Amino acid sequence: MAVIECKNVSIRYKTGDLQQIGLKDYIIKKVTHTYKVEEFWADRDITFSVDKGDMLGIVGTNGAGKSTLLKAVTGIMRPTKGSVYTDGKVAALLELASGFDPELTVRENTFLRGALLGYTKEFMERKYNEIIAFAELEEFQDYMFKQLSSGMKSRLAFSIACLVEPDILILDEVLSVGDEAFKEKSARRIKGILANGVTGVLISHSVQQIRDLCNKCLWLDHGKQVAFGPTSVICNAYSAFLFTPTDKRKLPETEEELLDVSNRFRIAWRIGERERAHPENFPYEIDRNEPEPARIQRLMKIVDGLSVEERRAIEDELDGTSKASE
């Protein structure tokens, strides 16, 4: 049974010139029918479902409608059209830096943030040392919050937020805070939470992060749903899209196109791995400093030039590797 289900969800923003003209002029313009209202659809007809224990990754370039969709899932916003169903307690890690007072200390802000999230003082006292240790702020407990770096602030917020024990966990770019070591630690903490049967939704600009954590994936582009399905298929097609020059990008319009692009990228990636491991086996010189977008485009062209038998051989190899790793 679905834990999260969105059916034809559309979300519209209305914008006007009220802030610029004031209330009096607004009334006059309304009466004279000269008040202008513009509509912007952040999401249009989004449909997907997530079962218990699933981790859904949402990908898309800036302005795709990802964060707006999450606000509808968490109940912060109501969709203009369509419906959103959730089964269980929802915890959302959306804006980590909010809810802190810059004039209070790290210690005081820890308890303040915990209170805003609904935790009791007794609970926070039990968990305080664990929170500070995870955030790596033992030496900064009595510093004013405004004295911390942005990375430190985000680490503290993430550490407090991870105390939640929800049925559904919503994450919006929260695994990108801190240095690489802290990112890995954060990912392990989230994996631990999800291992207990929690259902999750993750927005991330890191395709590799989506691959590592998610078993389902939703691809949005300018508010429209491009595809929904297995993570490997969607991420391969999305990666191919990202590595294509902006003026030549083309969204897949059918499932057949999606699968074809995904498979071509998968084969191209394997050829690239072979080039790096054994460049001497290729009849051309390989530029180690070749920019990644240019490299992927070159590899995709190589794939397009392969015979059916050559492509099938690589596909069989990839399928065998995939089965061996399961």
Side-chain angles (χ1 to χ4, degrees), residues 13-282:
Y13 290 112
K14 287 186 176 181
T15 60
D17 53 4
L18 176 59
Q19 289 184 339
Q20 285 74 33
I21 64 177
L23 181 58
K24 179 180 177 181
D25 288 338
Y26 165 73
I27 295 174
I28 294 174
K29 285 178 176 286
K30 285 289 287 185
V31 171
T32 58
H33 303 289
T34 58
Y35 178 66
K36 297 179 181 179
V37 176
E38 296 182 357
E39 294 184 348
F40 169 71
W41 290 90
D43 290 297
R44 294 297 299 261
D45 298 321
I46 309 300
T47 298
F48 67 90
S49 63
V50 181
D51 297 326
K52 181 176 175 59
D54 281 340
M55 184 67 174
L56 171 70
I58 303 180
V59 298
T61 54
N62 291 330
K66 305 184 295 296
S67 296
T68 298
L69 180 62
L70 283 197
K71 290 176 181 177
V73 173
T74 58
I76 296 173
M77 298 179 66
R78 288 185 179 181
T80 310
K81 297 180 181 179
S83 61
V84 178
Y85 166 81
T86 57
D87 182 13
K89 179 182 177 183
V90 180
L93 280 65
L94 302 180
E95 297 179 7
L96 288 181
S98 62
F100 291 108
D101 187 330
E103 301 301 326
L104 298 180
T105 65
V106 169
R107 186 189 308 274
E108 292 167 335
N109 266 296
T110 300
F111 282 89
L112 172 62
R113 177 75 174 211
L116 291 174
L117 292 173
Y119 301 128
T120 65
K121 181 180 179 181
E122 292 73 20
F123 178 81
M124 292 301 296
E125 286 175 343
R126 291 199 309 270
K127 291 289 186 176
Y128 176 76
N129 290 334
E130 178 186 335
I131 293 169
I132 294 300
F134 187 87
E136 302 170 6
L137 294 175
E138 293 94 335
E139 299 178 7
F140 301 90
Q141 299 176 58
D142 296 316
Y143 276 59
M144 301 298 288
F145 190 75
K146 64 183 179 182
Q147 294 177 299
L148 301 183
S149 67
S150 58
M152 290 177 174
K153 294 174 182 176
S154 296
R155 294 206 307 263
L156 178 62
F158 182 88
S159 183
I160 299 170
C162 280
L163 293 174
V164 296
E165 297 179 358
D167 300 303
I168 301 171
L169 182 62
I170 308 294
L171 309 165
D172 188 354
E173 290 292 350
V174 299
L175 298 182
S176 60
V177 302
D179 56 24
E180 290 303 317
F182 191 81
K183 289 177 185 177
E184 285 189 26
K185 186 165 68 170
S186 300
R188 289 196 300 271
R189 174 64 68 90
I190 294 300
K191 287 181 179 179
I193 295 174
L194 296 173
N196 293 324
V198 173
T199 302
V201 181
L202 169 66
I203 286 179
S204 177
H205 283 292
S206 169
V207 178
Q208 189 57 50
Q209 206 170 70
I210 298 291
R211 290 181 186 273
D212 291 342
L213 293 173
C214 305
N215 65 313
K216 291 182 178 180
C217 189
L218 174 67
W219 178 3
L220 302 179
D221 186 82
H222 291 86
K224 296 181 180 180
Q225 180 170 328
V226 178
F228 169 67
T231 297
S232 59
V233 173
I234 305 298
C235 282
N236 285 342
Y238 179 61
S239 295
F241 176 80
L242 290 180
F243 283 118
T244 302
T246 305
D247 60 340
K248 296 182 180 180
R249 287 178 178 175
K250 181 179 181 297
L251 294 170
E253 297 180 356
T254 65
E255 185 175 357
E256 289 74 17
E257 285 186 24
L258 177 77
L259 292 174
D260 178 64
V261 173
S262 175
N263 199 42
R264 287 169 56 224
F265 180 83
R266 189 171 71 130
I267 295 172
W269 193 263
R270 174 50 60 94
I271 295 174
E273 290 178 331
R274 290 175 174 175
E275 282 186 350
R276 285 173 169 167
H278 300 286
E280 69 279 2
N281 293 338
F282 291 83

